[in-house]
Amino acid sequence: MKVLLTAPYENEKALNELKGLFDEVIYRSWKPHGRAFNPEELIALLQETQVDALISEHDEITEEVLRANPHLKFVGICRGTPSNINLDVATELGIPVFNTPARNAQAVAEMFIANVITLMRNTVPAIDWLEGKNWGEGAHTSYLQFKGNELAGKKVGMVGFGAVGQHIARMLVSFPCEIFYFDPYYEDPNSEYKKVELEELFSSCDVIGIHLPVTAETKGMIDKKYLSLLNKDAIFVNTARATVVNREDLLEVIESGQIRGAVLDVFYNEPPDDIDYKMILNKNVIATPHIAGATHEVEDHHAFIMNNNLREFFHNGNKSIKQLVNKAVVEKTSIS
């Protein structure tokens, strides 16, 4: 089998491992190209290479791409959620689709915790104050002005409790923090965390993290109904997808000072528009440009996860591999 690889596989061991699984691997990473391949470019590349399968990361694998290549034996998507491929058409054509769940769970979890602590400890204004040469003779000026709070002892709520949410929870237990979650598709087998409805989560937690994909069920799901329940010391965190939250409602609770602040890594428009920038520039918001999952290690993770998926499916004869994505599986896990 001949495979086109456009996902980054910069880990030499992982690339050699993949080459050992198939007859030929043609490596054309999107990174030197400067951006993901659009449908026209991808169709041309598949035509040029005459491959039997494709492993991608961000390329636009639309209906047109799939119908132009119905012979593909599989498509691998090196992402936690295969949102850049038309799954309905892939299923119709009988093309198996693999993804790499939890590839960025560690990266997102670390940044989630780091930025929540940064906000709680007033680190950014303290740095600005210091760089502004505001330190006078009073030895305790900064100590009093920037005194913050500890994350330990706080109640943390996860909206969606899949790989990322569970990873954060495992790390926070040792602070210690009390973990609450809302996810109709997950039940903690050890009852280590408390499963609650959204109303209780928003009204009782000090930190609320959003960990939802965008589906018909989740788009705009977090709105004023829930945001109005947040207490004045609450911190709202979204490192998942912006459109699962009503941004006008979120902007209102931020600008009104109803909550302590927000940590945002995703926006309705990327690059942001004027409304997005109202949140980004608010002094009570720590905003980053969609980089929570951007570590060098994430590429290593997705390469080895994909290799393991393909090895199990094609070389071990296990046709019930859990990482094989189809319409039913995606619908069932739409929240978590």
Side-chain angles (χ1 to χ4, degrees):
M1 191 183 297
K2 189 176 179 182
V3 178
L4 172 62
L5 174 63
T6 63
Y9 258 61
E10 296 180 5
N11 184 295
E12 187 176 353
K13 180 180 178 181
L15 182 58
N16 288 335
E17 188 177 87
L18 183 69
K19 290 178 177 178
L21 295 175
F22 299 101
D23 298 312
E24 184 179 357
V25 174
I26 300 173
Y27 187 25
R28 301 281 185 86
S29 171
W30 66 266
K31 290 173 73 175
H33 186 65
R35 57 174 174 76
F37 293 106
N38 64 38
E40 293 75 21
E41 292 166 334
L42 198 53
I43 289 172
L45 190 54
L46 288 164
Q47 177 66 31
E48 173 198 335
T49 54
Q50 292 291 296
V51 293
D52 305 297
L54 169 66
I55 299 176
S56 168
E57 184 183 24
H58 297 299
D59 306 321
E60 300 175 54
I61 308 174
T62 61
E63 177 177 0
E64 292 72 24
V65 172
L66 293 169
R67 294 203 184 281
N69 295 276
H71 65 284
L72 292 174
K73 299 292 190 296
F74 73 88
V75 174
I77 304 294
C78 291
R79 300 179 67 177
T81 302
S83 55
N84 56 312
I85 183 170
N86 190 317
L87 285 172
D88 289 334
V89 174
T91 301
E92 176 193 331
L93 296 175
I95 301 173
V97 178
F98 300 86
N99 66 321
T100 55
R103 71 164 186 156
N104 65 359
Q106 180 71 26
V108 176
E110 288 185 11
M111 194 159 181
F112 179 106
I113 295 170
N115 283 348
V116 167
I117 292 173
T118 297
L119 187 59
M120 295 181 80
R121 294 298 302 272
N122 300 314
T123 305
V124 173
I127 291 171
D128 292 342
W129 181 88
L130 182 60
E131 292 180 349
K133 300 180 180 180
N134 294 303
W135 203 335
E137 294 301 320
H140 294 92
T141 304
S142 58
Y143 182 85
L144 296 172
Q145 185 172 343
F146 300 111
K147 185 174 286 189
N149 294 98
E150 297 173 3
L151 181 54
K154 300 299 186 289
K155 294 179 179 179
V156 180
M158 309 291 181
V159 183
F161 206 49
V164 173
Q166 291 176 43
H167 213 84
I168 294 169
R170 285 193 292 271
M171 295 169 73
L172 287 179
V173 164
S174 63
F175 268 69
C177 290
E178 190 176 358
I179 306 300
F180 297 76
Y181 73 93
F182 168 82
D183 193 321
Y185 302 105
Y186 179 80
E187 194 75 45
D188 175 31
N190 302 313
S191 300
E192 185 177 9
Y193 316 119
K194 185 176 180 181
K195 185 172 185 176
V196 296
E197 294 301 318
L198 280 173
E199 289 83 355
E200 182 178 350
L201 186 146
F202 273 83
S203 62
S204 64
C205 288
D206 304 295
V207 179
I208 294 87
I210 305 300
H211 308 289
L212 301 172
V214 179
T215 68
E217 184 181 6
T218 64
K219 192 169 184 178
M221 172 179 164
I222 307 303
D223 58 14
K224 184 177 293 187
K225 174 183 177 181
Y226 302 112
L227 295 171
S228 64
L229 300 174
L230 293 170
N231 67 67
K232 64 181 179 60
D233 294 318
I235 293 174
F236 182 87
V237 186
N238 190 357
T239 57
R241 291 291 182 267
T243 55
V244 302
V245 181
N246 182 303
R247 71 169 175 170
E248 284 78 15
D249 293 346
L250 177 59
L251 179 61
E252 182 179 335
V253 300
I254 291 172
E255 291 190 328
S256 68
Q258 178 189 326
I259 61 174
R260 178 170 184 166
V263 173
L264 304 176
D265 186 54
V266 290
F267 306 95
Y268 261 57
N269 300 282
E270 297 180 0
D273 64 7
D274 290 343
I275 296 177
D276 292 321
Y277 270 116
K278 285 184 178 181
M279 288 187 280
I280 291 167
L281 297 175
N282 188 284
K283 64 183 179 62
N284 295 320
V285 172
I286 290 180
T288 49
H290 206 148
I291 58 171
T295 68
H296 296 290
E297 290 83 358
V298 164
E299 292 183 3
D300 294 342
H301 299 330
H302 78 212
F304 286 113
I305 293 170
M306 183 60 69
N307 290 356
N308 288 338
N309 292 349
L310 296 172
R311 182 188 300 105
E312 183 175 351
F313 189 75
F314 288 105
H315 292 264
N316 294 349
N318 183 355
K319 301 302 181 184
S320 63
I321 181 172
K322 291 181 181 178
Q323 283 78 15
L324 179 63
V325 174
N326 57 37
K327 189 172 186 292
V329 171
V330 170
E331 287 180 347
K332 184 177 179 183
T333 59
S334 61
I335 296 291
S336 59

